Structure formats: C-alpha cells, structure tokens
Amino acid sequence: LACGTGGGYVIVIPPGIFKFSAKPNIPSGISVIGYGKWSTILFVPTTLATEFLNFNGTGGYPTVLAGVGVLAQTGGAASATGIKSTKNGLFIRDVWVNGFQYGMNLGGTDNFVHDFVSEECTVGVGASEANINISDGQLYACGEGLVVANNASAEAGRVLVTGLRATQCTVNGFVVSAGKQVTLNGCSAAHINNTKFTGAGVKIDGSSDVEVNGFVGTILGTPSTTGVGILASGSSSNIRITGGSTKGFLDGVQMAAVATGTITGGAHSGNGRRGVYISAGDAICVSGVVARNNGTVAGTTDAGIYSDNTSSFALHSITGCICAQDGGGPQDYGIYENLTDNGGSSGFTALTGNIAKFNISGQITTAGLVANITSTGNV
C-alpha cells in the first residue's frame, strides 16, 4: 500500500480480504477509502506490536478513513493498535476494528468518528485530545469500551460522545479519567450477565466539567454485586448527570468525594443496593429522581437514596424525589441521610418535597448530627 507524498491523494481498496505482511506507510494528507466495513477487510500481521494504520501527518489536507474493517489475526495484536491518530483533522466513518489493545487511539484534535464497531479490544476507543466528536458506535466485548483522558488539552474544545452502545464489556463501558470538558449524550451499557461491567457503566475519575445525559445502563437478571451504573469519584468536580435510567447494578448512581455535582431526573430502580448513593463530597444536589425497588443484594443498608454527608462544611440537597417500593419489593429505606459531626465543622443537608412511601424499614430516616438536617414538605 503506497501513494504519493504531496497530500490530497486517495487510496481506494476494493471489496475483498487483504492479508498484510507489514503495516502500511500512510504519508501526510492521504485518505484511505474502502467499500464498507463488512466488505473491505484488512488483516493485520501476526507480528504487529505497534499500530497498523497510523495517521500522523501535520497540517495540510484533511484526511479520511472510511469503509474498511481492520482485524487482528489470531493471537497477533494483543499489544497493538488498530487505528492511531496523532493528526489534526481526521475523519473516520464506517469502520470495524477487532482484536487489538486499542481499537482506535485518537491523539489528534478535530477528530471525527462516526458509524463504527470496535470489538474484543482491551480498549475499544481511546481519546486523549480536545475537540473530538464520536458518534453512533458499538463497543462490544471490550475490557473498557471508551476511555477519555484529555485533561492537558481540554481548553481547546469539548469531547462530545453521542449514541454509543457498550455491550458485554468486562470492566467499564465508558471511562473519563483525568478528563475535562466531556459530554456523553444518549449512550448505553447493557448485558444479561452480571459478571460484565464489574467497574461501571460510566466511570468518571479525577475529572472536571463532565456531563452525562440520558445514559441507560441495564444488567438483566440478578443484579451485579460490584458494578455501578454511573460512578463519579477521585476528587472529580462539576459533574452533571441528567435523566436516563439504571437497573441491575450494585448502585444506580454513586458520587464519592465529588466537589459540586448534580443528579437531575432519571429512574434508578431495581439495583442491588441503592438507587443513588452520595458518599462524602460537597455541594451535591439530587432532584427529581425516581428510585424504587432497590436492595436485592443481601447484607447491605439499601435505600432509594442514601446520602453519607461526612465531609466538613459539606452541603447537600435532596429535592422532589420519589423513593418507594411497590409492596413486594426489597427496598428498606426511601431516603437514608447520615450526617457526621466533624468536630463542629459538619455540613448541612436539606430534604425538601420528597415522597417516600411503602419502604420496609423506614421512609425518610436521619442519623448522626440530625440538628443539621432540615426536612420540609416531605411525605
């Protein structure tokens, strides 16, 4: 596979299966076009240990990769990358990658990825730059579906992820680690096996300015004893979770040591322990959430919403939520609020306008420094 080096050229690969003995050299500004991800199949050398298709030009022409499948030969690419970008202005569409350490590794700004399948990779897609748009993709049987780690360059533009579906991932469906300015819209993580997604459907760690909108996380059958639907931790800040639903995880949503976070709307029901779990943190607002019939995992203090306000000067608000079980469900508490006295520097929690009914052990239960918990208009 070779082409001129002046830029603006296009390599067109016809339908068929092509077995490579070495990785191709793609000069700057060269596009590669096949006839469809299921029609033009590129088999990677068994000796490959780096990356197969490497787009590393700088400046000049935009580059397109489209209509190809990039597959690792059996046992040949466990430490390799299928498609790597360190180039600004790369457009990827209609692509299938299978069997790599990284299916795609996006290290350039202004990268756009649409209509793809990444399967049986350690990481389906990695993104470490800014102004990246990823949409309409399937992440199947990967260790981690999508990993965004863009903190150093985030001021150049958001990473926008739309309509990705993670299925049967071993650890995490979506990860934002040391990330900044990241938006996940309309993504999902699902499987029938509770040994999948042992970490989280969405994991946010050590990140800031992250929003998750309309995420649907589902494990059918017996709930997981380890995995969380949406997990925000690691001193993350300004985390916004809106709408969506979780079912079959240990906790639907968990915020652990987050500074400034909102959980707005959404249905987090049928999870193994808690619908929403706030652990420490500060300035956490939960509003308009429905949390019903959680608590099928034995030996836990389960609740629709469990708030552990244990940080000094921390302020939490739980407003307008519905926390109940339907008469035959396992949920012990509707809302359980625990506020710890930190030597006179404890925070405050306001419980306002919530409905908690028909739970087994208690409806709205407070513990610890109850003088700093206000309860208004709850039923």
Side-chain angles (χ1 to χ4, degrees):
L1 186 61
C3 192
T5 59
Y9 292 95
V10 177
I11 298 172
V12 179
I13 308 175
I17 299 175
F18 302 90
K19 186 175 181 179
F20 284 73
S21 60
K23 71 176 185 177
N25 178 31
I26 304 174
S28 178
I30 303 302
S31 295
V32 177
I33 307 293
Y35 276 70
K37 59 179 170 287
W38 314 122
S39 300
T40 300
I41 307 299
L42 312 181
F43 267 115
V44 171
T46 57
T47 57
L48 183 69
T50 54
E51 65 278 338
F52 180 60
L53 297 180
N54 186 16
F55 295 88
N56 62 357
T58 56
Y61 295 88
T63 301
V64 175
L65 171 67
V68 297
V70 181
L71 277 62
Q73 297 178 35
T74 302
S79 61
T81 297
I83 300 165
K84 183 177 181 179
S85 165
T86 54
K87 173 182 173 59
N88 300 341
L90 175 63
F91 299 82
I92 300 174
R93 62 175 175 80
D94 189 19
V95 166
W96 172 32
V97 287
N98 183 298
F100 297 92
Q101 182 180 27
Y102 279 85
M104 286 184 274
N105 196 356
L106 308 175
T109 63
D110 305 306
N111 281 195
F112 299 83
V113 183
H114 175 72
D115 182 18
F116 69 92
V117 176
S118 183
E119 64 177 331
E120 296 180 342
C121 298
T122 305
V123 175
V125 178
S128 58
E129 264 290 353
N131 198 27
I132 293 175
N133 287 262
I134 306 170
S135 62
D136 191 20
Q138 176 73 51
L139 306 160
Y140 178 75
C142 297
E144 296 183 311
L146 171 72
V147 176
V148 178
N150 68 326
N151 199 26
S153 61
E155 300 303 332
R158 297 192 76 86
V159 173
L160 177 61
V161 180
T162 305
L164 266 59
R165 303 167 300 283
T167 305
Q168 199 174 334
C169 291
T170 307
V171 183
N172 300 299
F174 303 87
V175 178
V176 182
S177 179
K180 190 174 183 181
Q181 293 200 50
V182 180
T183 297
L184 273 62
N185 285 331
C187 297
S188 64
H191 202 255
I192 61 173
N193 189 339
N194 69 354
T195 66
K196 304 298 181 181
F197 300 102
T198 57
V202 177
K203 180 181 178 180
I204 303 165
D205 179 61
S207 300
S208 64
D209 190 5
V210 179
E211 56 185 16
V212 180
N213 302 316
F215 172 78
V216 177
T218 309
I219 295 178
L220 298 175
T222 304
S224 172
T225 59
T226 58
V228 175
I230 303 173
L231 171 62
S233 61
S235 299
S236 294
S237 62
N238 195 12
I239 307 302
R240 304 178 299 281
I241 300 169
T242 304
S245 64
T246 59
K247 179 181 179 181
F249 291 88
L250 177 64
D251 296 322
V253 177
Q254 184 182 138
M255 285 192 174
V258 169
T260 309
T262 60
I263 304 169
T264 306
H268 304 291
S269 302
N271 295 287
R273 181 171 61 176
R274 296 156 188 169
V276 173
Y277 179 26
I278 303 168
S279 177
D282 182 28
I284 308 300
C285 296
V286 182
S287 62
V289 166
V290 175
R292 293 167 59 90
N293 300 330
N294 298 283
T296 57
V297 175
T300 65
T301 302
D302 60 74
I305 298 173
Y306 190 107
S307 174
D308 221 350
N309 190 346
T310 58
S311 297
S312 300
F313 305 106
L315 308 175
H316 292 168
S317 172
I318 302 172
T319 304
C321 298
I322 297 175
C323 302
Q325 59 104 357
D326 60 13
Q331 189 164 287
D332 285 331
Y333 297 93
I335 298 174
Y336 193 102
E337 169 60 41
N338 177 38
L339 200 158
T340 301
D341 186 355
N342 292 294
S345 61
S346 291
F348 294 83
T349 297
L351 306 174
T352 307
N354 301 287
I355 299 174
K357 291 292 184 182
F358 314 120
N359 299 284
I360 296 172
S361 300
Q363 309 313 318
I364 296 178
T365 301
T366 59
L369 192 62
V370 296
N372 286 10
I373 302 172
T374 63
S375 184
T376 305
N378 302 291
V379 295

